[in-house]
């Protein structure tokens, strides 16, 4: 049996390493968009519910369209499908950047341009997320799959650690239009990389590639629904770090840069955990690692809800971020390892629905509870499913 390569060897790999770098820049840009959109909507309306609505529109398409995007990923060229998805999202970000740049926040006719852009960007996510998850096994050899999945998760978490902090500082210095423009530009590196790299040939069977066949396949694998359920609860519980960050900054009397710092604290915890998740998984096993991750996420969010000051809130989010990474990475790896190749797109689409598709409802409920009661109670509401 071939030995798996180390993380450094995979990062240096021409094919996978290039993809990882392009994906990282795209993810950093997404956090520029998320933080800027939250700040603009909160400045215009003062409503946590409408801040949550940004996430609703950005991820609603993932919830509604993922089964069909998974079927597309099992029928068509996954690389080209992902390139199309990136181009769609880039168009939404660019249009908003130009509008805000020309008119300023004061010149916007309400918040609907921000919400419309979130919808277009979300459409790109929905089309591409299944192809992205299904593409990874074709970029590495089978023994490298676990490490590749961990590195892909690290790319997201490092972006979450770097992007919000940079966004908060740059928005405070140059305005939201600058952040929206940066996001539009960061789609380009991944599109270029995808155009150049050549994934390892994957043979797909000519069987039933319908959405229905994907659901039937998952029903026949008893562990898969539980893995999807864990993913949903972890994704749901992590939402307040984004949706309620502006409200917490306002509660503590801080400016836009602190919004980015709160989101960054969560990402920094996840990024730190990504370097140790393999060792933890070997020592504890996948099931216990997932349980530890869920426990740390719950403890961190409880600390965030009760935080009496800024420092405590930041520390609590670091702990929550560690738990989030352990939970998400372990369930993803566990699921990917069980899949037949011809079903990968459709099953990972269901994983995406649980992880990202749950965000609209989670964000809406978190924001609504925060407006009706308080941001602290909004955080508590998010960890109930966990």
């Amino acid at each position: 049996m071939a030995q798996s390569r180390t993380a450094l060897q995979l990062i240096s790999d021409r094919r996978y390493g290039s993809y990882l770098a392009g994906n990282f820049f795209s993810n950093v840009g997404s956090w520029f968009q998320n933080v800027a959109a939250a700040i603009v909507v909160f400045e215009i309306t003062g409503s946590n519910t409408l801040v949550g609505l940004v996430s609703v529109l950005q991820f609603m398409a993932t919830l509604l369209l993922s089964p069909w995007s998974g079927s597309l990923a099992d029928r068509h060229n996954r690389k080209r499908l992902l390139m199309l998805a990136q181009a769609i999202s880039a168009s939404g970000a660019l249009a908003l950047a130009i509008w805000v740049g020309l008119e300023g926040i004061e010149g916007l006719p309400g918040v609907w341009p921000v919400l419309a852009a979130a919808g277009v960007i979300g459409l790109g996510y929905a089309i591409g997320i299944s192809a992205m998850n299904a593409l990874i096994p074709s970029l590495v050899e089978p023994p490298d799959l676990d490490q590749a999945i961990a590195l892909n998760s690290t790319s997201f978490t490092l972006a979450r650690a770097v992007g919000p902090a940079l966004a908060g500082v740059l928005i405070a210095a140059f305005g939201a239009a600058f952040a929206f423009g940066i996001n539009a530009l960061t789609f380009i590196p991944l599109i270029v990389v995808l155009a150049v790299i050549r994934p390892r040939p994957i043979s797909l069977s000519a069987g039933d590639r319908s959405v229905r066949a994907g659901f039937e396949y998952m029903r026949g694998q008893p562990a898969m629904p539980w893995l999807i359920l864990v993913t949903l609860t972890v994704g749901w519980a992590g939402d307040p770090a984004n949706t309620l960050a502006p409200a917490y900054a306002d509660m503590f009397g801080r400016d836009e840069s602190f919004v980015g710092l709160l989101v960054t604290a969560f990402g920094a915890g996840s990024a730190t955990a990504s370097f140790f998740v393999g060792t933890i998984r070997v020592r504890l096993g996948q099931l216990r690692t997932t349980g530890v991750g869920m426990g740390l996420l719950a403890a961190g969010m409880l600390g965030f809800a009760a935080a009496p000051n800024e420092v405590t809130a930041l520390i609590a989010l670091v702990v929550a971020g560690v738990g989030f990474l352990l939970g998400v990475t372990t369930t993803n790896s566990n699921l990917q390892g069980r899949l037949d190749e011809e079903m990968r797109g459709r099953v990972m689409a269901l994983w995406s629905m649980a992880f990202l598709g749950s965000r609209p409802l989670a964000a809406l409920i978190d924001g609504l509870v925060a407006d009706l009661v308080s941001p602290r109670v909004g955080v508590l509401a998010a960890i109930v499913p966990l």
Side-chain angles (χ1 to χ4, degrees):
M1 182 176 177
Q3 188 174 5
S4 62
R5 287 179 287 176
T6 65
L8 185 59
Q9 288 172 326
L10 276 179
I11 291 172
S12 304
D13 181 83
R14 209 173 205 177
R15 181 170 55 193
Y16 183 75
S18 298
Y19 164 81
L20 198 64
N23 199 29
F24 173 74
F25 283 112
S26 181
N27 291 331
V28 169
S30 295
W31 285 107
F32 273 70
Q33 180 77 28
N34 294 343
V35 173
I39 288 172
V40 169
V41 172
F42 194 75
E43 282 187 1
I44 293 175
T45 68
S47 169
N48 293 295
T49 303
L50 287 177
V51 172
L53 187 58
V54 175
S55 291
V56 169
L57 292 172
Q58 189 164 321
F59 296 106
M60 181 61 76
T62 300
L63 178 62
L64 297 177
L65 301 179
S66 280
W68 288 270
S69 78
S71 180
L72 286 174
D74 286 337
R75 292 170 183 262
H76 301 290
N77 185 296
R78 291 165 179 170
K79 186 180 81 166
R80 292 175 184 170
L81 194 61
L82 184 53
M83 290 172 66
L84 172 64
Q86 291 286 298
I88 291 172
S89 293
S91 68
L94 182 60
L96 182 61
I98 293 173
W99 195 338
V100 177
L102 292 176
E103 300 291 338
I105 295 176
E106 301 79 8
L108 291 177
V111 297
W112 72 261
V114 180
L115 301 179
V120 174
I121 292 169
L123 178 61
Y125 286 169
I127 293 172
I129 190 67
S130 301
M132 178 178 289
N133 281 305
L135 182 66
I136 293 175
S138 67
L139 300 178
V140 297
E141 297 300 324
D144 298 323
L145 182 58
D146 279 352
Q147 185 64 68
I149 291 171
L151 284 173
N152 194 56
S153 297
T154 301
S155 170
F156 280 95
T157 53
L158 284 176
R160 192 170 194 158
V162 173
L166 284 176
V169 172
L170 292 176
I171 291 167
F174 302 108
F178 184 83
F180 293 139
I182 290 292
N183 180 42
L185 291 175
T186 56
F187 288 101
I188 297 175
L190 183 55
I191 293 174
V192 171
V193 166
L194 289 169
V196 173
I197 63 173
R198 297 192 176 187
R200 182 170 55 85
I202 295 289
S203 59
L204 300 175
S205 71
D208 187 351
R209 298 186 185 180
S210 66
V211 173
R212 176 186 53 78
F215 279 105
E216 289 179 353
Y217 173 80
M218 196 182 78
R219 272 207 314 251
Q221 307 287 331
M224 288 185 183
W226 290 105
L227 292 170
I228 298 293
L229 181 62
V230 170
T231 301
L232 187 151
T233 58
V234 170
W236 188 293
D239 176 75
N242 304 316
T243 300
L244 300 183
Y248 262 74
D250 184 64
M251 187 170 65
F252 289 131
R254 303 296 294 265
D255 62 11
E256 294 93 340
S257 61
F258 189 70
V259 177
L261 196 58
L262 285 169
V263 184
T264 289
F266 189 89
S270 295
T272 301
S274 68
F275 293 105
F276 305 103
V277 63
T279 303
I280 294 172
R281 194 182 302 158
V282 168
R283 292 185 178 182
L284 299 182
Q286 287 185 325
L287 182 61
R288 287 184 179 177
T289 301
T290 304
V292 168
M294 295 172 76
L296 288 174
L297 177 55
M301 282 301 177
L302 283 171
F304 183 49
N309 53 52
E310 299 97 311
V311 174
T312 307
L314 292 171
I315 293 172
L317 285 179
V318 170
V319 174
V322 171
F324 181 84
L325 187 281
L326 292 178
V328 168
T329 301
T330 306
T331 53
N332 188 318
S333 178
N334 197 336
L335 191 62
Q336 291 264 27
R338 297 169 183 269
L339 292 175
D340 296 318
E341 191 58 48
E342 60 270 18
M343 291 291 179
R344 193 174 300 277
R346 280 163 287 181
V347 175
M348 292 312 297
L350 297 176
W351 182 90
S352 301
M353 285 179 66
F355 183 50
L356 295 177
S358 64
R359 285 282 304 278
L361 187 56
L364 194 60
I365 291 176
D366 296 349
L368 187 60
V369 173
D371 281 336
L372 293 175
V373 188
S374 74
R376 297 183 188 278
V377 177
V379 175
L380 293 175
I383 63 174
V384 170
L386 186 65

